[in-house]
Amino acid sequence: MSDIEIAQRAKMQPIIQLAAEKFGIPAQDLDPYGHYKAKLSLEYVDSLSHQNSMGKLILVTAISPTPAGEGKTTTTVGLGDALNRIGKKAMICLREPSLGPCFGMKGGAAGGGYSQVVPMEDINLHFTGDFHAIGVAHNLLSAMIDNHINHGNALDIDPRRIKWKRVVDMNDRALRQITVGQGGPANGYLREDGFDIVVASEVMAILCLATNRADLKERLGRIVIGYKSDRVTPVYASDLKAQGAMAALLKDAIKPNIVQTLENNLAIVHGGPFANIAHGCNSVTATQTALRLADYAVTEAGFGADLGAEKFINIKCRAAKLSPSAVVLVATVRALKFHGGVAKDHLNQENLDALKVGFANLERHIHNVTQNYKLPCVVCLNHFTHDTDDETAMVVAKCAELGVKCVISKHWAKGGEGAEELAHSVLELIADETPKLEFLYDDKLPLRDKIETIATRLYGASGIVMSDKIEAELKELQANYGELPICMAKTQMSFSTNPATRGAPSGHTVEISGLKLENGAGFIVAIAGNMMTMPGLPKVPTAEKIDIDDNGVITGLF
Amino acid sequence: MSDIEIAQRAKMQPIIQLAAEKFGIPAQDLDPYGHYKAKLSLEYVDSLSHQNSMGKLILVTAISPTPAGEGKTTTTVGLGDALNRIGKKAMICLREPSLGPCFGMKGGAAGGGYSQVVPMEDINLHFTGDFHAIGVAHNLLSAMIDNHINHGNALDIDPRRIKWKRVVDMNDRALRQITVGQGGPANGYLREDGFDIVVASEVMAILCLATNRADLKERLGRIVIGYKSDRVTPVYASDLKAQGAMAALLKDAIKPNIVQTLENNLAIVHGGPFANIAHGCNSVTATQTALRLADYAVTEAGFGADLGAEKFINIKCRAAKLSPSAVVLVATVRALKFHGGVAKDHLNQENLDALKVGFANLERHIHNVTQNYKLPCVVCLNHFTHDTDDETAMVVAKCAELGVKCVISKHWAKGGEGAEELAHSVLELIADETPKLEFLYDDKLPLRDKIETIATRLYGASGIVMSDKIEAELKELQANYGELPICMAKTQMSFSTNPATRGAPSGHTVEISGLKLENGAGFIVAIAGNMMTMPGLPKVPTAEKIDIDDNGVITGLF
């Protein structure tokens, strides 16, 4: 059965009832969206903040993934279900899926097999409208910028130095670089512009890092949309008086969403910044709420640990004073063989030699988690039907050599039951030690050194390079925003900036090709190599196969 | 008190409970969106279609409006409340507000004063996400077009003859005319394009005219996105296999929304095509559902009767086999003085001479309703505090001369109570006669004659003109789509194509400046004069004043 078929057979409980049963959440603090989705009131979220007890945070991250992904969300759901099965009070925290990729190649992002959150179609299509609200808030600011210039440009915005693009929740390469304002005076001034996908919007990152409505509005006001004609004076969203209306548009989007797994356990699914261009984790509000409601909060960080976990720790944990009690590193035999040089079409055949070579990728991620962040780690080998016993045994043995436990987990096929061993291993890890999280760098470290630290200590690079122009830009940012953390934008496919370099490359050079100040989110994006903030559709997009019948049953979504 | 302050003081009832009480709608047939908004299941809508009894349809339309609008929505709500007050079972049917104008000059569209639907902020901002779903469905098709061309253009689409633009729910003049696909081969082929506001999308019109999911998908597939390189062969959305995914995106948007008035009466608020470029009425599903649930369904048609009512009758009533039992023509003393030549800043001063001259506008609309469509009509003089007794008396007397009753209505200040006299007058009208609706033209009439009929018989024009190019285009459309009705796109400010020509101009010429086939919606748009399908923001947009406080209370939205 396909994921959507499994999801459509789920026996869902009314969410209001389930939230009351599982965590005693009062009905009046939940806004229902249909019968199986709800938003938590911020008053309730706030009321929780006065309690002292906090659950343990479990971070699920992964090796450098193949294009199909290695099952990070699936594992997060499976582990959450397993913890609940063995009698623990656990809450799952996920990012919301992006609409665009549903119609392209990647598909949805609500887990897979028997480890999914439901209603799957709703979560993948529109959900509770958060991303639409973010998109409109973003585009309102865009419209206000061009409108301000059109009506006399009292703020003296340099139209050539506007950094704020527009967004759409679609994979649409034709919109990456455009010219706006054509057609004469009635349509404003001509300038170059472009569209990003909504998940790449700074508004998305802001929503995910804001701790309440006041913080949200302040961050929105702090957005730097570009510079004045003196080239250096920043223009803020607050100069355009945009932050109030933007925050009003986000009035509901800021509230965390609650849904359930196939096994009727609760999951908070909220926010979803791109893990390659933004920080790639769900909202701080979601994570903190889960930690206050449950004894264990299981959350995920986008793409491989070099991207998602790095930002989870150095950006989100730093900002929100969070600290994971354990890390689950998801790997697959398939992806390890891929890193060992096997072509995509041959990943279903046993290949122990390639597996051994490709293991280097996992080893590097283990090293990063345990040595750089000083966090305890367990490897979850997400089992695929073609994996042979010799292959899985080799991964387990090689992990053991590194002093790390590797659990073969079958939650995709069996749900929570299949991840029980993983759950026990995580609990042992948490019982064994109380880790003291170390950040990779200090706030005070100069921006250039922060980037270099990430590249050398985490990516295994020998150093970083950048053009004189970028170097000068970095210097300017250092003067005014030097204490901000770095948000690396890098391919998720490799430790290097070249997606084709698999395994665990060393001694390579990381070229910084661009910088982007996200002052509202509170970080500086450093673009490593060639990164796109607007995907395209493939030759045969999934959209061609998606359908809905006369009764509203959807097919072809995966 | 401002509209939003009045709305925020409303004593709302939980909508599920209210729907059960008032119309016996079962809870399981309602999807709640928060506690005060809900969507009706299509199964329930369908179950109603098997009953024979139908309520009476009351159409609220207006004279040619000033830029502020004359209170058509306010009157629709007030009349609905009044009918309920005097013991009738009445349901209100409104269009959804468009987000963009909330941030510009026009503001929201949920009624005003004590005749509003609530929750006002929710209805004006995002509501249940219908317009976002429509926007994404539209933009998915756009992305699939450019993607198809990028990957080899097997359908041989002429990139110069693509008629399908992109949409965004924002007033953003910079996006009216753009160039997409810049930046080299990775971003596709360069071509000229543009954005319309979401309400101008054909998908919006389709959603409003579709009678069920199958009809929706078929209409989406029928959309003509442009032509092949032979210049004449149409390319359909179904050629791109887009209709299934588009319909899936509209899975919830197709369900009618239920909210309540300040007086706790039910209103269906669903769909909202532009009344100048599209047909400007709420969904057929909404109107039919209201007629099946209630004894009286009160609905509105956008802008003045020359635009909204004309399309309501000749497009919507024709397609959905509806027939109004009575028409309410909304006028204001202010607007009549405006039509009599008074400047915007002097409308609050008594001016009987100007009122007498401006009455010609109302007279023309009365004539059109009663003589062209043969529908019984009552004039609602929507009372403003500055109206003098002599002014209102003059309007009443002049209407009486035409054999039409004019009721001074104070629902803005008093809610349903203020519209009770109007309600009684409407009921008398319905009791007195059973009208036999006449369409303005027959399906078989050639397209050119249809346009000419509208211009001469409704607008008072002496005839139509068009360039040879448009003439040739019309001829081609005649060959293949000759039986479709015409959807006129004209300024709402005047019977002519010049917004500055007030009153009731005669003998003018209507220039047809463009044609647009909307094959999925089932009409041909004829653009009269200079029409914009993407508004701009004013120098000081309302967005600057909109705010939200730490507790989520919104201000500045009107």
Side-chain angles (χ1 to χ4, degrees), chain A residues 49-111:
Chain A
S49 71
H50 302 299
Q51 73 179 41
N52 289 320
S53 73
M54 292 280 270
K56 303 285 186 187
L57 181 58
I58 300 161
L59 174 66
V60 178
T61 182
I63 61 169
S64 308
T66 63
E70 303 324 306
K72 201 163 53 280
T73 305
T74 306
T75 300
T76 307
V77 174
L79 176 56
D81 277 342
L83 284 165
N84 277 292
R85 273 182 72 90
I86 61 174
K88 302 296 173 188
K89 202 171 164 185
M91 176 86 98
I92 293 156
C93 275
L94 301 177
R95 296 182 305 132
E96 299 180 45
S98 174
L99 247 181
C102 290
F103 304 107
M105 205 151 50
K106 187 175 167 287

Side-chain angles (χ1 to χ4, degrees), chain B residues 390-439:
Chain B
D390 284 349
E391 287 177 325
T392 54
M394 178 185 271
V395 180
V396 172
K398 287 186 75 66
C399 284
E401 283 171 28
L402 299 172
V404 169
K405 186 162 183 186
C406 170
V407 181
I408 299 157
S409 199
K410 299 194 174 177
H411 43 277
W412 182 86
K414 296 184 179 175
E417 192 191 343
E420 278 191 23
E421 198 192 331
L422 177 66
H424 284 295
S425 302
V426 169
L427 291 175
E428 278 164 30
L429 214 57
I430 293 176
D432 279 357
E433 37 177 327
T434 304
K436 176 110 193 51
L437 172 66
E438 287 186 11
F439 296 123

Side-chain angles (χ1 to χ4, degrees), chain A residues 32 34 122 173 179 182 251 548, chain B residues 32 34 122 147 179 182 251:
Chain A
D122 290 21
R173 70 172 64 75
T179 296
Q182 291 176 187
K251 70 189 177 72
I548 183 167
Chain B
D122 289 21
N147 187 60
T179 296
Q182 292 175 189
K251 71 189 176 72

